């Protein structure tokens, strides 16, 4: 499930076709996290038994509003928290990666370089 990183002058950098959920509490948020965890890819290398082989971003946006008195404007406050798990950039000589795992590591290193741009 490959997603594309895009950029426009209006919205800046964004991920095309990103999945978004509206939740009302902790239980629902944990369910969304569980779905995201199932979509992660991990694999063993000589350096790490459960090495992240994919990037994962979990953004929590919290909105709250003040209840205004009659004749006053209400205010909405918004906070955003980004939890990011980037696939590891491991030295290929130390991981013992070969075959598909080596190709995967090369793609990970290229994608990390793209994020740095």
């Amino acid at each position: 499930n490959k997603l594309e990183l895009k950029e426009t002058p209006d919205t800046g950098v964004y991920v095309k076709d990103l999945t978004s959920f509206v939740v009302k509490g902790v239980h629902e948020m944990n369910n969304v996290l569980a779905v995201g965890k199932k979509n992660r890819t991990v694999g063993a290398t000589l350096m790490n038994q459960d090495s992240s082989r994919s990037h994962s971003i979990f953004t929590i946006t919290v909105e709250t509003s003040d209840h205004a008195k009659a004749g006053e404007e209400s205010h909405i406050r918004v906070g955003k928290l980004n939890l990011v798990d980037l696939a590891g950039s491991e030295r290929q000589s130390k991981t013992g990666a070969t075959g598909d795992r080596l190709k995967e590591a090369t793609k990970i290193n290229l994608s990390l370089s793209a994020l740095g741009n």
Side-chain angles (χ1 to χ4, degrees), residues 38-85:
K38 285 181 188 175
N39 289 329
R40 287 184 67 234
T41 302
V42 296
T45 69
L46 292 178
M47 292 181 68
N48 184 350
Q49 187 65 29
D50 295 313
S51 179
S52 292
R53 311 315 292 167
S54 61
H55 304 312
S56 177
I57 301 171
F58 186 73
T59 302
I60 302 169
T61 304
V62 178
E63 295 183 8
T64 184
S65 62
D66 297 331
H67 294 287
K69 296 177 185 175
E72 293 181 0
E73 276 189 49
S74 62
H75 294 86
I76 298 174
R77 292 193 173 120
V78 179
K80 187 181 270 191
L81 173 66
N82 292 303
L83 304 174
V84 180
D85 176 21

Side-chain angles (χ1 to χ4, degrees), residues 6-27:
K6 299 284 188 178
E7 185 173 9
T8 65
D10 296 335
T11 59
V13 178
Y14 68 97
V15 179
K16 184 180 176 194
D17 299 327
L18 192 66
T19 305
S20 178
F21 299 91
V22 175
V23 298
K24 303 287 184 191
V26 174
H27 179 72

